[in-house]
Amino acid sequence: MIHSLFLINCSGDIFLEKHWKSVVSQSVCDYFFEAQEKAVDVENVPPVIPTPHHYLISIYRDKIFFVSVIQTEVPPLFVIEFLHRVADTFQDYFGECSETAIKDNVVIVYELLEEMLDNGFPLATESNILKELIKPPTILRSVVNSITGSSNVGDTLPTGQLSNIPWRRAGVKYTNNEAYFDVIEEIDAIIDKSGSTVFAEIQGVIDSCIKLSGMPDLSLSFMNPRLLDDVSFHPCIRFKRWESERVLSFIPPDGNFRLISYRVSSQNLVAIPVYVKHMISFKENSSSGRFDVTIGPKQNMGKTVEGVVMTVHMPKAVLNMNLTSTQGTYTFDPVTKVLTWDVGKITPQKLPNLKGIVNLQSGAPKPEENPSLNIQFKIQQLAISGLKVNRLDMYGEKYKPFKGVKYITKAGKFQVRT
Amino acid sequence: GKNEDLKQMLESSKDSSKLDAMKRIVGMIAKGKNASELFPAVVKNVASKNIEIKKLVYVYLMRYAEEQQDLALLSISTFQRALKDPNQLIRASALRVLSSIRVPIIVPIMMLAIKEASSDLSPYVRKNAAHAIQKLYSLDPEQKEMLIEVIEKLLKDRSTLVAGSVVMAFEEVCPDRIDLIHKNYRKLCTLLVDVEEWGQVVIIHMLTRYARTQFVSPWKKDVVEEYNENNFYESDDEQKEKDQKVKKTYVMDPDHRLLLRNTKPLLQSRNAAVVMAVAQLYWHLAPKSEAGIVSKSLVRLLHSNREVQYIVLQNIATMSIQRKGMFEPYLKSFYVRSTDPTMIKTLKLEILTNLANEANISTLLREFQTYVKSQDKQFAAATIQAIGRCATNITEVTDTCLNGLVCLLSNRDEIVVAESVVVIKKLLQTQPAHHGEIIKHMAKLLDNITVPVARASILWLIGEYCERVPKIAPDVLRKTAKSFTNEDDLVKLQILNLGAKLYLTNSKQTKLLTQYVLNLGKYDQSYDIRDRTRFIRQLIVPNEKSGALSKYAKKIFLAQKPAPLLESPFKARDHFQLGTLSHTLNSKATGYLELSDWPEVAPDPALRNVEAAEVVGRHRWNVEGSTSQVHIFGFQVSRKIFYVFYSDSEDSKKKAKGITKKRNMSSSSDSEASSSEESSSDSKSESDLQSDSQSGKPGRAASKEKKKKKKEEKKKKNGKGLAAHYHFSRQPCIFGERMVSVQVTVTNTTDQKIENIHIGEMKLPAGMRMHGFNPIESLEPEGSITVSMGIDFCDSTQTATFQLCTNEDHFNVSIQPPVGELLLPVTMSEKDFKKEQGMLTGMNEASATIAVAPQNSSSPVIIERVVKAANLGVVPSGQDNIHRFAAKTVHSGSLMLVTVELKESSTAQLIINTEKTVIGSVLLRELKPVLSQG
């Protein structure tokens, strides 16, 4: 399926190549560069590019293009999903998926790629199995290795791949047994000029960090499971149990993993935790405009809205902005025309405001449209959908684990039209 | 050479410097630098004891073997040795590397290795064999026929590890051999949920193609079942006629239904490719009324990264043309954000346009107004096209849209204006009568618009409808005649057209002007313009040479032209299978496999029937969830005792029958365990129940109880029943090292919910322990659930008795393990076996001479039968007539060594060596009939 992989940085250098079948020349990437040039910005490079003899399927992650070379029909999502899994694995192993990290760990990268695909078909993609095959680097280990000459390659061969629970490694042992669940919800919304909601929905995930010895069998139940309209599962979850009882029953992988992703039924009204008052105007036949934005919390929340950041792509005609903020700091990049206002925490008594003058290129026509405001925020200890974990039970092991659930609500793609 | 230092390091006696060298070499390969000259120095280390050096040498070999074939051959013997290693992972990796070395001369060696590996007892090795098939096929396509044989064999494999890989090989080597799938179809459907995610995608795509060749279309009539109520007044004849009609209505093949049912849970996969695969399966195979269940999951994927969004949106775009209803409820999920990349925006817009109807159009047009103002002008232009399409498709809003577009004509942005002109032109063609004003308005714009397409569109409009704007048209011609030489070719052609049309309708005013334009055209630089000029002149200006045609010039130029259709660019894509690369590219990719049309008449469904012995293997728990695979070393193992607690009505009796049919071997070692039992038919199952209830075997008491209750409750209308069967999964137990893993499938055969199924009191002999399953809160009617439990039998065949309770009742259940299930296989080499055997002689040895039925004397049959009877691991043997098996007891871990030595005249010597002499002799007794019976 996947013939070769090229990693390309933003300046167009191919800094890694790997072939699972015969070697394909680097020159195939020229077609990619051509498409990249045409697309103007990285976001618009088409993920699938046909060339005379191959097809290129690529993803863009962390300032790196992962360009795979395909020769025959294959579901494009298969390749895309796999490439993201590769990037996830790098992230997991090296703490970041960057050109430097990949170059510094080129041998581990190669060993990983070798295990993840055989003849272009995925072989081992579970992080638990890979970590048994190839140990992730640590500073201590690389020092020890260089002295003793021992290696990063596991000398015990993984049993997980052969078992009926391939996602969990065998022989897990902890002195402190802990299970943490983060319920993270993101609000995607489009708010129109007048402040009413055009579209809003909640997308949630439960990310888990499980450090439990042996073979724990967990059951996680919710107070209000019916809220979850559409759910996708980690393979460890017993689907039938969810179907019949709405309980998440599973033998977890060891370490960090995403247990479920879900969408909250669009029938439910989504509470929008912030409001934005805005006055942005450009005068006809004048080289200036006014900008005045206030962000406030909606009363009914009772929790603090923090980590508030506003980004605005100003129209091309904007030369500069002279603003004053009552709180936080703002920057305006005259090249990209991006205004960023880092607000921080909102205190209801004194609402953050940013206002001032917009300088336009003289002679240029008045901008057609006011820009949209993209808002980020965070609310701790709250799942905006109202989802609540009821209890976590453990079977199969005798010890008492420490259990914890954390809730957090964030802005997803949250956009205010002005 | 320049890599002298690396060569020296590789020659070094120290592993650390060899390793450093290999790491640097891999770094070179990664950067695409040539490291081929190091081949001789590297290949020497292929047999290194250091596992990391070895791995890196493998990496190097796979990269350069093709270029250095002669030298690569030096490494082959190392891999051939490793193929015989007792460790399955070493065997697998040897096969992997050997098959990745693309050296034609080793084709026969590869073929042999693949054949052997495909019979390996480890499913992991067999999986690697499936991968190797494709590698060998691409190296030497002439091996195709032999490889198909291997594929055929591996398709029969019951391991979930192998399934995805072998179907992949099938798709690459012989996708047209649909006949190989028939017998494996049901198994693949059943195994699907337990296969790893990548394999799932491949299997689902293959099964989609398969189903389109084997089942009739569910789309002709969407009525699945139609019950015929007896009409009291109808005559018999009428009734018969009606019955026949009913027969003609579509009934879905149960196998077709099986596929739809078993793929549906995968919509919940975290893997977008799996979700898309199921979605396309439903699109291409499900009744139209059911296809809608995939929408929600596809919309969920829109929250993913931009690449996934891109592909999913493309597919939704195609779907939404044909079946708007599927995505209408999610209309707002396709609203565009200013931060979306343009390619995502355009796709969303495409879908919104497809979904537009009378009910939502006003909301949509309001949304579109925002998009038109977008700073992303390419997107704004696309929105104008979209408005045009809405206007033609929904007549109620045509005028509104037209007015909106006319307003856009005063937009500051030229691209917006130009696009509006083009769209307005198309719209006006559909109803020119009312729009003289708009045409006038556009004529005025001509002075300011510079975009050629827009200018050309306006000129065409004025020419076409020149009789509606009789005053303006000649004036426009006058103006453009002046600018002719500076216009774009596109515009020049339309000036010529305008001239011709005016000449024909209003020659008095425009004759001279037109001739002037034609003269300019005659000497134009572009030959297209010159040709067109000559052509027009001949047609409209009568002279001796011009023939009969000029009489019809007016008809030719001013014929009523059909209005252009404003269609979705995705319309043409629907002939590609959704989710494919070809669909994304909108052109056939290499290796694309066509989806066939439904057959008029379905091929014989009996093709998919499997011989009884195999049917038995299709257990319900295969679909239960990821923890319920029942495959160890390639043999389906299943021993279960069947008990039904109580049931009364005819209905539940039938169900009980159904379950009996699935019986495999009874746990006892008496004659009932023979294979004829496995094929018990419907007619026989009733008598099975009888005999069950008469025998005093464990688990049968329950049947007796059932009989009794049946009588008692017969009077009641609604019966209740709970069926349960168990089997030994032969997996290491997750509940404790010394426990035997038992899986129990509980089925509710009543029409009511059964609640709180749990284990009550346990009666265990001294020393035995049991880990029960988690209580089942409730079980829906018809529902069944498989749960795991663990029992430590203390290496004995004593019975474990416990109560199975529901909210209302409780039952005694007894499980007595066959001795073969108290073992776990052990992998060891022949040498180690002999060594261990040497230490377990005398008291620890039990043996017997047995007669071997002739059909049982071949190696595969002996291995299969022995391994089926007891959970033993096979020890590779150097002699054809001696078979060795090794296991350890689950509780104490004591070795259990079994030897079968074939002698002359159909006899064999059966030897068992173990410290556990009691179970050793029981095992000896149980294995005897296994080989002696036919």
Side-chain angles (χ1 to χ4, degrees):
Chain A
M1 289 191 146
I2 297 171
H3 206 109
S4 302
L5 175 68
F6 295 96
L7 300 190
I8 302 173
N9 66 17
C10 278
S11 35
D13 305 321
I14 303 169
F15 65 92
L16 186 119
E17 63 178 74
K18 168 85 185 120
H19 309 273
W20 285 272
K21 303 183 184 187
S22 303
V23 178
V24 176
S25 153
Q26 283 197 354
S27 63
V28 76
C29 295
D30 293 347
Y31 294 99
F32 176 81
F33 295 132
E34 207 175 282
Q36 190 185 10
E37 214 162 282
K38 224 194 261 170
V40 185
D41 60 286
V42 287
E43 291 262 275
N44 276 311
V45 178
V48 181
I49 301 166
T51 82
H53 301 289
H54 303 91
Y55 306 97
L56 305 178
I57 300 185
S58 65
I59 64 162
Y60 180 67
R61 270 275 292 263
D62 304 301
K63 303 203 169 112
I64 300 170
F65 283 104
F66 290 68
V67 182
S68 65
V69 183
I70 309 295
Q71 263 187 329
T72 52
E73 173 63 62
V74 59
L77 276 183
F78 186 102
V79 182
I80 287 168
E81 189 76 35
F82 176 80
L83 293 177
H84 277 288
R85 212 61 77 78
V86 171
D88 290 343
T89 307
F90 291 166
Q91 172 83 38
D92 189 26
Y93 263 74
F94 314 130
E96 56 169 7
C97 173
S98 66
E99 184 182 349
T100 336
I102 291 170
K103 279 179 167 168
D104 289 349
N105 295 287
V106 69
V107 173
I108 294 184
V109 165
Y110 239 65
E111 286 167 347
L112 282 170
L113 292 175
E114 196 68 58
E115 293 298 339
M116 291 182 85
L117 280 184
D118 179 20
N119 195 36
F121 191 75
L123 191 63
T125 52
E126 284 296 337
S127 127
N128 268 233
I129 290 184
L130 287 170
K131 284 192 175 153
E132 273 189 86
L133 287 165
I134 301 144
K135 291 180 207 142
T138 61
I139 293 169
L140 184 65
R141 181 167 319 117
S142 51
V143 171
V144 172
N145 284 356
S146 65
I147 295 166
T148 61
S150 62
S151 75
N152 290 322
V153 175
D155 38 15
T156 49
L157 294 153
T159 44
Q161 202 154 14
L162 306 171
S163 82
N164 55 353
I165 33 177
W167 55 84
R168 188 171 178 87
R169 62 189 182 95
V172 180
K173 260 203 183 106
Y174 288 102
T175 39
N176 295 320
N177 289 289
E178 308 163 315
Y180 297 107
F181 297 90
D182 292 356
V183 179
I184 304 166
E185 295 194 337
E186 290 192 351
I187 305 173
D188 284 358
I190 301 175
I191 312 289
D192 76 4
K193 223 179 196 137
S194 62
S196 50
T197 308
V198 177
F199 165 79
E201 70 176 10
I202 300 168
Q203 304 264 5
V205 296
I206 300 184
D207 281 342
S208 316
C209 174
I210 305 228
K211 295 180 174 171
L212 297 174
S213 315
M215 275 290 165
D217 194 335
L218 304 178
S219 290
L220 184 76
S221 63
F222 300 98
M223 306 282 269
N224 40 9
R226 305 275 156 199
L227 270 178
L228 307 180
D229 185 36
D230 184 41
V231 193
S232 74
F233 299 121
H234 188 277
C236 71
I237 289 172
R238 297 181 180 105
F239 178 70
K240 283 274 152 113
R241 217 33 222 291
W242 173 257
E243 279 284 272
S244 60
E245 302 164 58
R246 300 272 145 180
V247 167
L248 296 175
S249 157
F250 57 99
I251 295 173
D254 182 45
N256 296 310
F257 67 101
R258 177 153 296 172
L259 186 64
I260 63 169
S261 312
Y262 60 89
R263 206 165 47 121
V264 174
S265 151
S266 39
Q267 269 78 42
N268 294 26
L269 278 180
V270 178
I272 304 290
V274 296
Y275 67 86
V276 181
K277 276 204 260 177
H278 48 84
M279 236 292 293
I280 303 172
S281 63
F282 305 103
K283 266 183 251 146
E284 199 73 54
N285 305 322
S286 144
S287 58
S288 73
R290 278 175 56 202
F291 186 96
D292 186 347
V293 172
T294 308
I295 304 180
K298 292 234 169 130
Q299 264 104 43
N300 54 358
M301 304 308 305
K303 304 261 183 203
T304 318
V305 182
E306 54 189 33
V308 179
V309 178
M310 182 183 81
T311 30
V312 188
H313 287 259
M314 296 303 288
K316 285 197 188 72
V318 174
L319 276 184
N320 224 323
M321 300 181 80
N322 286 321
L323 307 172
T324 40
S325 59
T326 61
Q327 184 183 330
T329 50
Y330 83 93
T331 52
F332 177 74
D333 182 340
V335 181
T336 58
K337 314 286 181 198
V338 175
L339 167 72
T340 312
W341 179 26
D342 191 342
V343 185
K345 198 187 281 181
I346 301 183
T347 33
Q349 291 75 27
K350 194 171 151 284
L351 297 180
N353 169 272
L354 180 69
K355 74 173 172 187
I357 304 291
V358 185
N359 297 318
L360 299 173
Q361 209 176 326
S362 57
K366 167 178 114 97
E368 200 74 39
E369 185 202 27
N370 282 344
S372 296
L373 315 174
N374 298 296
I375 314 282
Q376 293 162 48
F377 56 79
K378 217 179 346 186
I379 306 167
Q380 304 280 3
Q381 289 313 318
L382 173 82
I384 196 86
S385 69
L387 186 74
K388 266 215 140 55
V389 170
N390 182 23
R391 54 182 298 157
L392 175 73
D393 295 306
M394 187 182 75
Y395 304 92
E397 294 292 338
K398 291 258 153 50
Y399 56 82
K400 283 258 172 296
F402 185 81
K403 304 179 268 192
V405 180
K406 200 166 84 183
Y407 298 92
I408 194 164
T409 294
K410 291 198 240 180
K413 296 170 186 162
F414 195 99
Q415 196 157 82
V416 180
R417 293 175 177 168
T418 63
Chain B
K2 51 187 168 168
N3 293 319
E4 224 31 70
D5 55 331
L6 284 173
K7 280 183 196 156
Q8 267 168 22
M9 288 165 84
L10 287 167
E11 304 281 346
S12 148
S13 56
K14 272 192 263 163
D15 273 358
S16 59
S17 60
K18 284 183 179 180
L19 186 58
D20 276 348
M22 282 315 298
K23 283 183 173 173
R24 276 172 56 192
I25 294 168
V26 167
M28 286 166 70
I29 295 175
K31 276 188 213 116
K33 287 186 188 153
N34 188 5
S36 61
E37 60 155 4
L38 291 161
F39 203 99
V42 173
V43 78
K44 278 180 200 156
N45 293 298
V46 71
S48 168
K49 289 258 174 346
N50 180 309
I51 192 157
E52 189 165 20
I53 295 179
K54 196 161 150 161
K55 272 199 168 182
L56 297 178
V57 172
Y58 287 0
V59 168
Y60 184 91
L61 264 178
M62 291 193 229
R63 170 68 181 77
Y64 285 113
E66 212 171 0
E67 298 171 19
Q68 308 259 349
Q69 308 216 348
D70 292 344
L71 285 168
L73 293 177
L74 296 175
S75 64
I76 302 300
S77 62
T78 315
F79 298 120
Q80 281 179 298
R81 256 198 312 281
L83 284 170
K84 305 267 188 235
D85 197 280
N87 184 323
Q88 49 179 335
L89 286 152
I90 292 177
R91 291 201 299 281
S93 95
L95 181 63
R96 232 183 111 187
V97 183
L98 180 71
S99 56
S100 299
I101 296 176
R102 289 168 296 274
V103 178
I105 207 166
I106 65 162
V107 164
I109 297 176
M110 275 169 77
M111 192 68 225
L112 199 69
I114 290 171
K115 272 190 173 168
E116 266 175 25
S118 70
S119 314
D120 199 287
L121 289 168
S122 152
Y124 186 65
V125 175
R126 298 201 300 279
K127 181 189 181 71
N128 278 276
H131 286 207
I133 291 172
Q134 305 166 55
K135 300 184 210 170
L136 180 51
Y137 180 63
S138 63
L139 185 62
D140 182 9
E142 292 200 347
Q143 303 295 317
K144 185 170 177 178
E145 286 314 310
M146 288 229 268
L147 288 172
I148 291 177
E149 279 171 33
V150 183
I151 290 173
E152 189 171 6
K153 180 169 166 198
L154 286 174
L155 276 170
K156 291 193 184 119
D157 206 297
R158 297 189 168 279
S159 166
T160 49
L161 263 177
V162 181
S165 304
V166 65
V167 171
M168 189 66 226
F170 170 86
E171 292 280 83
E172 295 223 343
V173 179
C174 53
D176 47 336
R177 289 291 303 275
I178 281 285
D179 58 297
L180 298 180
I181 302 301
H182 295 316
K183 296 266 186 266
N184 301 298
Y185 173 84
R186 290 175 192 158
K187 180 194 68 191
L188 285 172
C189 288
T190 324
L191 289 184
L192 194 59
V193 277
D194 288 333
V195 173
E196 37 74 46
E197 44 198 344
W198 311 108
Q200 284 172 343
V201 177
V202 176
I203 296 175
I204 293 171
H205 273 268
M206 187 277 286
L207 289 178
T208 309
R209 272 193 313 118
Y210 176 86
R212 283 288 282 261
T213 63
Q214 300 298 315
F215 306 126
V216 292
S217 166
W219 299 336
K220 285 177 186 151
K221 272 187 191 142
D222 260 1
V223 201
V224 178
E225 278 159 293
E226 200 175 272
Y227 291 109
N228 195 8
E229 292 287 323
N230 267 339
N231 192 330
F232 189 77
Y233 296 102
E234 264 173 339
S235 73
D236 276 358
D237 277 10
E238 274 172 313
Q239 188 58 49
K240 255 183 212 159
E241 212 172 276
K242 245 195 161 179
D243 280 345
Q244 266 182 343
K245 248 189 219 158
V246 171
K247 263 181 206 154
K248 271 185 203 157
T249 59
Y250 170 76
V251 178
M252 185 182 279
D253 186 311
D255 285 332
H256 189 170
R257 177 52 68 198
L258 176 74
L259 178 58
L260 292 173
R261 197 170 49 229
N262 286 9
T263 46
K264 190 178 158 195
L266 299 180
L267 284 172
Q268 254 73 50
S269 172
R270 64 170 169 174
N271 187 319
V274 176
V275 177
M276 188 66 232
V278 179
Q280 68 81 30
L281 181 134
Y282 264 75
W283 176 260
H284 293 293
L285 300 181
K288 298 219 157 111
S289 57
E290 290 173 40
I293 65 158
V294 307
S295 324
K296 202 192 269 182
S297 309
L298 288 178
V299 172
R300 183 187 70 226
L301 297 184
L302 298 183
H303 196 66
S304 190
N305 50 64
R306 81 176 173 111
E307 295 89 8
V308 170
Q309 280 185 50
Y310 176 74
I311 304 290
V312 172
L313 286 170
Q314 274 191 331
N315 283 283
I316 293 179
T318 300
M319 292 193 234
S320 58
I321 296 171
Q322 276 185 41
R323 300 184 205 161
K324 283 185 186 196
M326 273 176 77
F327 293 98
E328 238 183 85
Y330 304 98
L331 185 78
K332 290 191 173 172
S333 301
F334 303 106
Y335 277 13
V336 171
R337 292 182 174 77
S338 60
T339 39
D340 287 333
T342 309
M343 62 178 190
I344 299 293
K345 282 181 188 162
T346 341
L347 281 167
K348 283 183 171 177
L349 182 69
E350 175 63 34
I351 294 165
L352 289 173
T353 315
N354 290 341
L355 295 179
N357 59 24
E358 285 87 350
N360 60 28
I361 185 69
S362 50
T363 325
L364 266 185
L365 285 178
R366 212 174 314 132
E367 183 70 13
F368 284 174
Q369 270 166 23
T370 319
Y371 303 166
V372 168
K373 284 186 264 168
S374 169
Q375 292 177 39
D376 180 346
K377 292 304 165 198
Q378 201 189 332
F379 174 60
T383 306
I384 293 164
Q385 295 263 14
I387 294 173
R389 258 171 63 201
C390 290
T392 45
N393 297 341
I394 305 164
T395 44
E396 282 90 337
V397 294
T398 312
D399 287 340
T400 324
C401 291
L402 203 48
N403 289 338
L405 291 171
V406 172
C407 292
L408 287 179
L409 292 177
S410 43
N411 195 288
R412 263 193 217 87
D413 192 275
E414 195 167 47
I415 301 169
V416 172
V417 175
E419 200 69 35
S420 306
V421 167
V422 174
V423 174
I424 289 173
K425 176 211 141 202
K426 288 180 183 166
L427 281 180
L428 289 185
Q429 264 185 280
T430 58
Q431 37 185 198
H434 321 287
H435 300 299
E437 283 309 309
I438 296 180
I439 298 174
K440 275 180 211 158
H441 182 79
M442 289 173 73
K444 279 182 209 148
L445 282 174
L446 205 57
D447 298 339
N448 302 319
I449 292 182
T450 56
V451 179
V453 209
R455 289 180 71 80
S457 291
I458 295 175
L459 290 172
W460 182 89
L461 263 180
I462 294 169
E464 190 67 15
Y465 307 114
C466 54
E467 284 165 303
R468 290 179 206 285
V469 283
K471 290 199 183 117
I472 293 174
D475 194 45
V476 170
L477 183 63
R478 182 185 57 79
K479 279 187 195 159
T480 48
K482 243 197 243 171
S483 61
F484 186 90
T485 43
N486 298 322
E487 298 282 1
D488 188 275
D489 283 0
L490 211 59
V491 183
K492 283 179 181 167
L493 287 176
Q494 291 310 328
I495 298 172
L496 289 168
N497 265 344
L498 173 66
K501 287 169 183 170
L502 280 173
Y503 188 98
L504 291 169
T505 54
N506 183 5
S507 67
K508 211 166 92 188
Q509 271 189 301
T510 59
K511 194 174 179 178
L512 287 173
L513 262 177
T514 306
Q515 273 171 352
Y516 173 68
V517 171
L518 288 174
N519 282 334
L520 289 176
K522 191 175 172 183
Y523 300 105
D524 198 87
Q525 285 191 325
S526 156
Y527 49 78
D528 270 345
I529 308 283
R530 294 197 299 272
D531 281 355
R532 180 71 65 91
T533 310
R534 237 170 268 136
F535 165 77
I536 288 176
R537 190 191 293 274
Q538 288 299 319
L539 260 181
I540 61 172
V541 187
N543 60 21
E544 333 61 269
K545 270 194 237 158
S546 66
L549 264 183
S550 61
K551 263 189 269 174
Y552 302 104
K554 193 168 179 183
K555 275 191 177 159
I556 291 170
F557 276 99
L558 290 163
Q560 187 129 31
K561 291 154 189 92
L565 274 176
L566 299 179
E567 269 189 338
S568 165
F570 277 79
K571 192 134 197 180
R573 290 193 190 205
D574 60 359
H575 60 270
F576 290 112
Q577 186 175 357
L578 289 187
T580 58
L581 180 61
S582 303
H583 175 267
T584 288
L585 297 170
N586 196 18
S587 77
K588 206 183 270 185
T590 322
Y592 174 75
L593 299 166
E594 211 69 60
L595 207 56
S596 80
D597 273 335
W598 300 99
E600 276 304 311
V601 181
D604 185 8
L607 285 170
R608 285 181 293 275
N609 290 349
V610 197
E611 303 81 64
E614 281 183 75
V615 175
V616 175
R618 296 198 295 122
H619 297 297
R620 226 172 268 193
W621 46 75
N622 280 345
V623 295
E624 282 304 322
S626 309
T627 54
S628 56
Q629 292 170 1
V630 287
H631 315 279
I632 276 279
F633 297 112
F635 293 97
Q636 175 74 38
V637 184
S638 150
R639 294 166 167 257
K640 48 183 174 152
I641 296 172
F642 157 68
Y643 46 97
V644 170
F645 293 121
Y646 50 103
S647 82
D648 57 344
S649 68
E650 277 306 303
D651 239 344
S652 48
K653 201 165 111 199
K654 267 185 212 145
K655 270 167 205 147
K657 260 197 209 170
I659 292 160
T660 331
K661 217 169 104 186
K662 286 200 181 131
R663 271 183 59 155
N664 191 356
M665 294 155 78
S666 102
S667 74
S668 56
S669 54
D670 61 21
S671 61
E672 264 188 31
S674 71
S675 57
S676 68
E677 168 98 10
E678 292 178 23
S679 53
S680 63
S681 64
D682 261 68
S683 61
K684 207 186 161 206
S685 54
E686 187 63 15
S687 64
D688 281 349
L689 275 180
Q690 293 279 357
S691 67
D692 280 357
S693 63
Q694 279 151 14
S695 73
K697 294 280 171 206
R700 307 238 160 118
S703 298
K704 210 184 254 173
E705 192 176 15
K706 174 213 158 213
K707 280 253 151 191
K708 233 191 288 166
K709 292 253 179 174
K710 189 165 150 188
K711 274 174 205 154
E712 283 166 17
E713 292 187 16
K714 207 152 198 173
K715 295 154 222 159
K716 288 189 203 164
K717 198 77 186 144
N718 293 319
K720 298 181 285 179
L722 182 65
H725 32 214
Y726 69 79
H727 83 143
F728 296 95
S729 67
R730 292 193 168 181
Q731 305 276 354
C733 184
I734 57 171
F735 300 115
E737 266 182 53
R738 301 178 160 208
M739 289 187 172
V740 175
S741 173
V742 182
Q743 290 194 329
V744 181
T745 302
V746 188
T747 310
N748 180 357
T749 62
T750 70
D751 48 13
Q752 270 156 19
K753 210 187 215 179
I754 297 182
E755 287 186 301
N756 190 21
I757 304 168
H758 62 278
I759 286 179
E761 200 188 324
M762 307 178 197
K763 282 183 212 145
L764 303 173
M768 274 172 64
R769 288 183 311 129
M770 192 172 116
H771 190 290
F773 54 83
N774 302 336
I776 303 166
E777 273 176 40
S778 69
L779 195 55
E780 297 292 330
E782 306 268 326
S784 87
I785 191 164
T786 300
V787 287
S788 299
M789 48 192 286
I791 304 176
D792 180 357
F793 287 104
C794 294
D795 289 350
S796 75
T797 54
Q798 297 179 84
T799 309
T801 308
F802 58 92
Q803 284 189 326
L804 192 58
C805 307
T806 70
N807 254 2
E808 292 158 26
D809 219 330
H810 58 85
F811 319 96
N812 285 327
V813 177
S814 302
I815 297 181
Q816 185 185 26
V819 65
E821 301 304 337
L822 297 173
L823 306 173
L824 278 176
V826 169
T827 325
M828 59 166 72
S829 66
E830 189 173 352
K831 199 175 129 201
D832 290 342
F833 185 96
K834 285 179 179 162
K835 202 174 108 199
E836 295 289 348
Q837 196 179 26
M839 292 191 282
L840 291 167
T841 49
M843 284 280 287
N844 294 330
E845 185 170 290
S847 71
T849 305
I850 52 167
V852 177
Q855 68 269 38
N856 291 348
S857 57
S858 73
S859 305
V861 177
I862 291 175
I863 293 174
E864 189 185 334
R865 289 190 148 240
V866 170
V867 175
K868 202 167 183 176
N871 195 10
L872 297 163
V874 178
V875 176
S877 170
Q879 295 137 288
D880 284 344
N881 61 332
I882 303 182
H883 300 280
R884 298 185 177 85
F885 305 88
K888 58 178 187 187
T889 62
V890 173
H891 177 84
S892 64
S894 314
L895 274 181
M896 180 75 67
L897 307 175
V898 178
T899 314
V900 179
E901 189 176 351
L902 291 175
K903 304 267 178 173
E904 282 151 38
S905 61
S906 301
T907 60
Q909 178 86 4
L910 190 60
I911 309 165
I912 293 181
N913 301 79
T914 180
E915 287 174 352
K916 295 272 168 185
T917 47
V918 180
I919 57 168
S921 53
V922 178
L923 185 63
L924 186 69
R925 202 174 66 212
E926 297 215 339
L927 286 179
K928 275 193 220 168
V930 167
L931 292 174
S932 54
Q933 282 166 5

